[in-house]
């Protein structure tokens, strides 16, 4: 992996169509005779449905059908499944309530699906939806973790006493207790991880088409993993024979995790198409997305860190309550457990860790994976706690981190929370970030801000994440209902160009470029002669899709395996052409040569010969196409250090981010420009969580932040120019040596931002503040500190 294409700043191939408005998204697709679906949604967070009267809606102009949960219940369909089984401490399985695509008798959050209207036009469907008369009987609501866990709280589900889904643990409790018993110091911190609403530039959309002649179904959908959507539709929800269902995810305008899951609307457009005999399309409006796309984060935690007099970490105890919303989404149960608890070690050599997670139901939108999925929550908790420990014990916050980092000679490193890290140089990243940020010169900059009447602070975060969701053996042991492998088919055409079919999906990551660079490097062809195909279950082997920063490290490794098969077969053909033994054939830079001679054949010549009858050797099949599956042996472990500098206006509480320095180790870099783009996007989202974004429900379960009028997204003016640096330690167990890049910005930067805010406020006596650190929250913290109370809201 050292050719000219690897590490090159190749311009993204896909941008040729995107920048010219030639992308083809789900809502761009038009089908003959198509109709439009609008979903009738609950305006209440918790209510019994006494009756639904659809007569007036059915009589409205253009209406073809009005279908309710009672109609759906007559079908032999299943509910939307959760893909991970979690067991509680006592071994009992989690509570997994039914999740129907249309509610029959009881709604459980604002936006719950009650009925659908299908009409000739969107306007007609929307108008008729207003005519569906639903008689609701309001029920008591629990819209937050404290409300759901209060004694005598109303139940979201009768089968979930105390609204508990599971009470899970990880680590060695006895070892943790022993560590705390011998500790010289114990520091404690309570904190929350604020609930976020995903906002991809393209809202969710779906088109369902049923072919009465063949019995085939086709679904076009905004999905990050079309193969998994097809599997769930076939095996769990509609129970369509898998070979009779094609799922296509065309160009998708962002996802950030929110488009991983199997949503009700995907089933509903297919079902409705069968009922009306025509294609049915649905596209969410933005406010509809706010109240139906799965949300992210939403934790309340208590954490304790045990240290000795020398500052060495001895033990960590974490107690977290996680909000799952009203239903279990596809991966929901795994996020606060195996994607969170296993990362509580971070980059530190803490010998004893014990984590407890109580997951609860509330009358809110389901919560599932959102960029980072458990890793940002773990990093935020750990880095806030370490910072707090340094301040409480009067230690240098950089050096406290440094002395507790895992050292290069300690790898492979087995953590107390299941994972084994393969390689890393965490102190090197720390030093890079300190140098980039001019940490040593900060006090002079603080003094300059003070002279202008401003408060300046600097914060740091050393992070580690686990990517690739591996291995499949581990997935089985923890209750996953699907493997975590990936597939690829590589086809060399007769003229030497290459088509690659991959099971992962690109929705902004640049796969069509990065994967082409890998193949071009492997075969010695140009990047322009490699085309990447994805998103259509009819033309690629089964794949698990894109999430968890897995596309390059798992999907790319599958491509390498298939490409290796191509080379091995091509060597046999080249040997036949050159009248040499296969063992004497070498392949490099697109040339097959006989060892020790100047005789050779170009890659294109061999490819052409593979398709010419009677030109390939006996026993070798014609053609040059191979499929491979890659099942990773372990997670990959990107890591790094982020430093953030902020300035606060004490009159208004406004926080300005002045500088962000990010030193990261993502393993081998295929395209630095794409890596930088992924980092910048993640940093923007992380800063958004830290300072701006926060989903708010009132006590009745109404979503108060249901539009851009009251949910604040980061804008260019909120962000500085980012400084990035990359150092490389190669992953030891995949053929690329890469580790993953898509989520690291959103993981490492939030605690660095809040630590910087607290550093600026420390002279006033403010010790803690929650995300998002809005101007109001910061201003109140300063006023309370001035009044001698010392704690922020």
């Amino acid at each position: 992996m050292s050719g000219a294409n690897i590490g090159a700043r190749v311009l993204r191939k896909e941008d040729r169509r995107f920048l010219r408005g030639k992308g083809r998204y789900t809502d761009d697709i038009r089908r003959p005779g198509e109709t439009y679906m609008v979903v009738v949604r609950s305006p209440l967070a918790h209510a019994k449905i006494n009756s639904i009267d659809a007569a007036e809606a059915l009589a409205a102009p253009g209406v073809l059908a009005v279908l309710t949960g009672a109609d759906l219940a007559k079908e032999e369909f299943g509910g939307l499944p959760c893909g991970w089984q979690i067991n509680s401490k006592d071994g009992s399985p989690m509570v997994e309530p039914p999740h129907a695509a249309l509610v029959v008798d009881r709604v459980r959050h604002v936006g719950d699906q009650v009925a659908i209207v299908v009409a000739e036009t969107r306007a007609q469907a929307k108008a008729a939806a207003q005519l569906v008369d639903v008689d609701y009987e309001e029920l008591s609501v629990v819209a937050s973790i404290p409300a759901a866990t209060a004694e005598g709280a109303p139940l979201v589900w009768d089968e979930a006493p105390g609204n508990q889904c599971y009470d899970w643990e990880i680590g060695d409790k006895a070892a943790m207790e022993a560590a705390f018993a011998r500790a010289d110091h114990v520091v404690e911190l309570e904190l929350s991880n604020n609930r976020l609403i995903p906002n991809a530039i393209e809202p969710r959309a779906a088109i369902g088409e049923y072919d009465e002649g063949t019995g085939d179904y086709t679904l076009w959908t905004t999905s990050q993993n079309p193969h998994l959507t097809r599997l769930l539709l076939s095996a769990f929800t509609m129970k369509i024979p898998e070979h009779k269902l094609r799922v296509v995810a065309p160009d998708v305008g962002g996802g950030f995790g929110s488009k991983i899951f199997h949503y009700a609307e995907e089933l509903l457009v297919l079902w409705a198409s069968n009922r009306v005999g025509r294609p049915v399309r649905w596209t969410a409006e933005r406010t509809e997305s706010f109240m139906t796309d799965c949300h992210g984060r939403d934790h309340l935690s208590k954490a304790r860190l045990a240290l000795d007099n020398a500052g060495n970490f001895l033990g960590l105890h974490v107690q977290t309550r996680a909000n799952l919303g009203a239903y279990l989404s596809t991966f929901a149960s795994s996020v606060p457990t195996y994607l969170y608890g296993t990362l509580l070690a971070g980059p530190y050599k803490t010998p004893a860790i014990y984590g407890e997670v109580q997951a609860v139901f509330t009358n809110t939108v389901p919560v599932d994976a959102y960029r980072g999925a458990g890793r940002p929550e773990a990093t935020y908790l750990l880095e806030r706690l370490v910072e707090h420990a340094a301040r409480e014990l009067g230690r240098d916050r950089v050096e406290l981190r440094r002395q507790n980092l895992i050292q290069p000679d300690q790898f492979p490193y087995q953590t107390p929370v299941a994972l084994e890290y393969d390689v890393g140089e965490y102190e090197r990243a720390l030093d890079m970030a300190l140098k980039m940020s001019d940490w040593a010169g900060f006090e002079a900059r603080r003094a300059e801000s003070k002279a202008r009447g401003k408060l300046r602070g600097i914060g740091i975060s050393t992070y580690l994440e686990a990517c690739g969701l591996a291995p499949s053996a581990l997935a089985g042991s923890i209750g996953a209902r699907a493997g975590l492998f990936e597939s690829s088919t590589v086809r060399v055409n007769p003229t030497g160009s290459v088509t690659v079919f991959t099971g992962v999906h690109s929705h902004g990551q640049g796969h069509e470029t990065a994967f082409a660079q890998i193949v071009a490097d492997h075969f010695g062809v140009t990047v322009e002669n490699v085309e990447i195909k994805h998103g259509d279950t009819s033309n690629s082997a089964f794949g698990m899709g894109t999430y968890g920063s897995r596309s390059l490290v798992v999907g790319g490794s599958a491509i390498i395996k298939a490409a290796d098969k191509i080379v091995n077969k091509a060597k046999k053909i080249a040997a036949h052409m050159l009248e040499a033994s296969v063992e004497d054939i070498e392949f490099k830079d697109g040339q097959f040569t006989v060892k020790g001679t100047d005789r050779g054949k170009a890659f294109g010549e061999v490819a052409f010969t593979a398709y010419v009858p009677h030109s390939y050797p006996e026993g070798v099949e014609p053609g040059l196409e191979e499929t491979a599956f890659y099942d990773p042996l372990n997670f990959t472990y990107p890591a790094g250090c982020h430093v953030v500098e902020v300035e606060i206006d004490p009159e208004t509480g406004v926080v300005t981010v002045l500088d962000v320095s990010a030193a990261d180790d993502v393993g081998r870099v295929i395209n630095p420009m794409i890596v930088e783009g992924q980092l910048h996007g993640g940093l923007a989202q992380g800063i958004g969580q830290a300072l701006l974004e926060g989903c708010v429900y009132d006590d009745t379960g109404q979503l108060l932040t249901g539009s851009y009028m009251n949910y604040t997204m980061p804008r260019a003016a909120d962000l500085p120019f980012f400084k990035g640096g990359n150092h490389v330690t190669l992953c030891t167990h995949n053929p690329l040596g890469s580790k993953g890049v898509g989520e690291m910005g959103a993981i490492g930067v939030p605690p660095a931002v809040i630590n910087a805010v607290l550093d600026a406020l420390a002279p006033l006596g403010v010790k803690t503040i929650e995300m998002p650190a809005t101007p109001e929250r910061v201003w109140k913290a300063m006023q309370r500190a001035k009044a001698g109370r010392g704690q922020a809201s």
Side-chain angles (χ1 to χ4, degrees):
M1 300 298 297
S2 58
N5 290 299
I6 300 301
R9 302 179 71 89
V10 176
L11 295 178
R12 294 196 345 160
K13 297 176 68 176
E14 47 269 74
D15 287 348
R16 296 169 188 167
R17 66 178 186 275
F18 293 146
L19 294 176
R20 295 185 297 174
K22 301 298 183 181
R24 185 170 170 82
Y25 300 90
T26 298
D27 196 59
D28 295 326
I29 294 167
R30 294 291 178 264
R31 302 300 301 160
E34 66 185 12
T35 62
Y36 294 81
M37 182 182 86
V38 167
V39 182
V40 179
R41 300 188 182 276
S42 171
L44 302 173
H46 200 193
K48 179 182 177 183
I49 298 175
N50 291 324
S51 64
I52 300 176
D53 184 352
E56 190 175 357
L58 277 167
V63 172
L64 302 172
V66 179
L67 301 171
T68 67
D71 297 312
L72 187 70
K74 296 173 185 176
E75 308 282 359
E76 294 183 359
F77 293 167
L80 304 174
C82 178
W84 292 72
Q85 177 64 56
I86 301 297
N87 293 329
S88 290
K89 295 173 183 176
D90 62 6
S92 61
M94 68 184 188
V95 177
E96 186 174 357
H99 189 182
L102 287 176
V103 173
V104 175
D105 56 3
R106 189 170 159 189
V107 296
R108 288 178 167 82
H109 69 85
V110 172
D112 220 346
Q113 300 89 218
V114 175
I116 58 171
V117 176
V118 182
E120 296 286 355
T121 69
R122 179 177 287 128
Q124 289 172 332
K126 194 171 181 179
Q130 300 295 318
L131 302 177
V132 177
D133 185 11
V134 185
D135 180 17
Y136 293 104
E137 180 183 328
E138 287 196 60
L139 300 173
S140 299
V141 171
V142 291
S144 65
I145 295 171
T149 55
E151 186 175 353
L155 297 182
V156 179
W157 294 96
D158 294 340
E159 55 265 50
N163 291 309
Q164 180 175 292
C165 178
Y166 54 77
D167 182 19
W168 178 83
E169 65 181 348
I170 190 169
D172 188 331
K173 184 177 182 180
M176 177 274 294
E177 290 175 340
F180 275 82
R182 67 176 186 273
D184 298 307
H185 305 282
V186 173
V187 293
E188 301 182 2
L189 186 64
E190 293 189 21
L191 69 167
S192 67
N193 203 287
N194 46 322
R195 188 182 183 114
L196 302 176
I197 301 176
N199 276 277
I201 195 168
E202 176 200 25
R204 287 192 299 115
I207 303 170
E209 184 170 346
Y210 174 66
D211 187 327
E212 190 175 0
T214 63
D216 291 343
Y217 289 85
T218 302
L219 172 69
W220 290 267
T221 182
T222 50
S223 176
Q224 296 178 215
N225 49 1
H227 283 281
L228 186 59
T229 298
R230 183 175 75 157
L231 172 63
L232 296 178
L233 278 163
S234 298
F236 294 97
T237 55
M238 286 191 75
K239 302 179 181 177
I240 303 168
E242 201 166 358
H243 68 287
K244 306 298 286 183
L245 173 61
R246 176 190 178 200
V247 176
V248 182
D251 289 329
V252 173
F256 312 117
S258 68
K259 293 173 182 173
I260 298 171
F261 325 117
H262 177 24
Y263 285 97
E265 293 85 2
E266 293 167 326
L267 179 153
L268 294 174
V269 292
L270 290 170
W271 176 51
S273 177
N274 182 299
R275 293 291 293 259
V276 303
R278 293 164 62 183
V280 176
R281 65 185 305 115
W282 167 83
T283 300
E285 296 182 344
R286 184 59 68 177
T287 294
E288 192 175 15
S289 294
F290 272 83
M291 67 173 66
T292 63
D293 290 5
C294 286
H295 293 176
R297 316 293 194 247
D298 205 349
H299 286 191
L300 295 178
S301 297
K302 296 180 180 179
R304 299 189 300 146
L305 181 65
L307 305 91
D308 64 17
N309 279 326
N312 297 307
F313 299 165
L314 302 179
L316 174 66
H317 182 205
V318 175
Q319 296 171 296
T320 293
R321 292 182 292 168
N323 191 346
L324 297 177
Y327 302 96
L328 288 180
S329 178
T330 309
F331 290 155
S333 56
S334 68
V335 176
T337 52
Y338 288 99
L339 300 181
Y340 166 71
T342 56
L343 269 295
L344 290 175
Y348 303 115
K349 49 192 176 187
T350 311
I353 300 174
Y354 178 65
E356 304 172 85
V357 177
Q358 180 191 24
V360 299
F361 295 109
T362 62
N363 294 116
T364 63
V365 172
V367 178
D368 209 318
Y370 176 69
R371 198 171 193 167
R375 283 73 57 85
E377 295 93 314
T379 299
Y380 182 71
L381 179 144
L382 196 56
E383 288 305 296
R384 283 288 312 281
L385 182 61
V386 172
E387 187 85 359
H388 183 64
R391 292 189 180 279
E392 289 292 295
L393 302 179
R395 289 186 171 272
D396 182 281
R397 48 196 169 139
V398 171
E399 295 310 311
L400 182 63
R401 287 176 167 87
R402 186 188 301 277
Q403 77 177 78
N404 285 284
L405 290 173
I406 301 164
Q407 296 301 307
D409 62 1
Q410 293 180 284
F411 292 98
Y413 182 83
Q414 178 63 54
T415 75
V417 280
L419 300 183
E420 182 181 273
Y421 306 158
D422 62 331
V423 67
E425 293 181 359
Y426 307 146
E427 195 169 353
R428 185 176 168 194
L430 173 64
D431 288 333
M432 283 183 66
L434 294 176
K435 183 177 180 180
M436 275 193 294
S437 65
D438 186 22
W439 183 278
F442 170 72
E443 289 304 327
R445 298 192 295 277
R446 191 201 294 270
E448 187 273 331
S449 292
K450 184 177 181 180
R452 291 186 286 105
K454 301 294 177 70
L455 302 170
R456 197 175 188 118
I458 193 167
I460 189 169
S461 166
T462 46
Y463 78 93
L464 176 142
E465 62 167 319
C467 297
L469 295 182
S472 290
L474 175 62
S477 70
I478 63 179
R481 295 176 183 171
L484 300 163
F485 56 83
E486 199 45 72
S487 71
S488 176
T489 297
V490 176
R491 177 186 300 161
V492 181
N493 300 308
T495 54
S497 63
V498 184
T499 305
V500 177
F501 302 89
T502 176
V504 300
H505 186 276
S506 179
H507 41 279
Q509 293 87 349
H511 294 170
E512 294 175 32
T513 304
F515 288 169
Q517 289 179 251
I518 292 170
V519 173
D521 183 79
H522 213 72
F523 290 154
V525 299
T526 64
V527 171
E528 290 72 24
N529 275 341
V530 182
E531 185 171 16
I532 308 300
K533 298 284 190 179
H534 58 89
D536 190 339
T537 61
S538 69
N539 66 17
S540 62
F542 186 92
M544 296 303 298
T546 294
Y547 44 84
S549 301
R550 71 186 299 274
S551 294
L552 179 64
V553 298
V554 186
S557 293
I559 291 172
I560 288 291
K561 286 189 67 176
D564 284 340
K565 289 183 177 182
I566 292 284
V567 171
N568 289 336
K569 180 178 180 179
K571 281 183 176 181
K572 296 177 183 178
I573 299 172
H576 180 70
M577 296 170 69
L578 294 166
E579 298 180 339
S581 67
V582 175
E583 293 74 18
D584 287 337
I585 298 297
E586 295 179 329
F587 180 65
K588 185 179 180 181
D589 297 332
Q591 293 288 324
F592 293 91
T593 58
V594 180
K595 292 178 184 178
T597 75
D598 59 358
R599 294 192 302 123
K601 295 290 182 182
F603 181 79
E605 293 179 90
V606 175
F608 185 78
T609 301
Y611 290 92
V612 177
H614 312 300
S615 295
Y616 34 83
E618 185 177 350
V620 174
E621 294 180 354
L624 207 52
E625 178 176 324
E626 297 289 347
T627 295
F629 287 78
Y630 177 74
D631 191 3
L633 299 174
N634 193 358
F635 292 87
T636 59
Y637 300 100
C641 179
H642 293 174
V643 175
V644 173
E645 201 163 319
V646 303
E647 191 173 70
I648 299 175
D649 184 340
E651 299 298 320
T652 64
V654 171
V655 178
T656 300
V657 180
L658 301 174
D659 186 79
V660 176
S661 300
D664 302 287
D665 175 8
V666 299
R668 177 174 278 116
V669 173
I670 305 302
N671 187 319
M673 184 175 62
I674 290 177
V675 168
E676 290 163 10
Q678 288 288 301
L679 172 63
H680 292 178
L683 291 172
Q685 284 184 277
I687 292 168
Q689 175 174 14
L691 297 179
L692 302 167
E693 298 182 53
C695 172
V696 179
Y697 284 92
D698 69 13
D699 291 341
T700 68
Q702 292 296 321
L703 181 61
L704 301 183
T705 51
S707 75
Y708 292 136
M709 294 295 290
N710 36 44
Y711 187 89
T712 308
M713 296 285 290
R715 296 167 295 182
D718 299 313
L719 306 170
F721 285 98
F722 301 130
K723 292 186 289 189
N726 188 57
H727 75 279
V728 175
T729 60
L730 296 179
C731 175
T732 62
H733 54 77
N734 71 51
L736 289 167
S738 299
K739 298 182 180 182
V741 66
E743 296 160 303
M744 63 185 185
I747 292 170
V749 85
V753 172
I754 297 300
N755 287 341
V757 170
L758 289 173
D759 184 54
L761 298 177
L764 303 180
V766 177
K767 292 186 176 182
T768 186
I769 197 166
E770 297 294 356
M771 297 188 292
T774 60
E776 178 187 18
R777 185 166 280 169
V778 171
W779 187 85
K780 285 183 175 180
M782 291 188 289
Q783 303 315 306
R784 292 179 181 181
K786 289 175 183 177
R789 298 166 70 176
Q791 292 294 320
S793 62

